Amino acid sequence: VYSLDGLLVFGLLLVCTCAYLRKVPRLRTWLLSERRGIWGVCHKAAVIGTRLHVAVSVSCLLMAFYVLVGK
């Protein structure tokens, strides 16, 4: 998380993980129902992941290619 690459990877993983957890009904009510605090950040990341799923998946693929080949 100390470099821009690490920050981007962390952000993409957070968005993808929260969007996946939003699809599980029990976890959605338990984890993502709060809209303030740290769980609010997870809720907002889940909303971003579900609304922009095409852009998030393309950026995950580009980041994976960069990490595997570029570094």
Side-chain angles (χ1 to χ4, degrees):
V1 185
Y2 296 114
S3 65
L4 182 62
D5 299 341
L7 188 65
L8 288 174
V9 169
F10 177 76
L12 284 172
L13 287 175
L14 178 74
V15 168
C16 292
T17 303
C18 290
Y20 177 75
L21 291 177
R22 187 174 176 152
K23 298 293 183 183
V24 180
R26 282 197 178 183
L27 292 177
R28 183 178 186 177
T29 58
W30 186 55
L31 291 176
L32 300 173
S33 62
E34 188 67 35
R35 295 179 190 244
R36 283 187 261 150
I38 189 69
W39 298 118
V41 173
C42 292
H43 172 76
K44 290 174 186 175
V47 170
I48 290 170
T50 55
R51 289 185 182 171
L52 299 174
H53 63 278
V54 174
V56 170
S57 63
V58 168
S59 60
C60 282
L61 288 173
L62 290 175
M63 184 56 74
F65 181 75
Y66 172 74
V67 167
L68 291 175
V69 177
K71 275 188 152 181

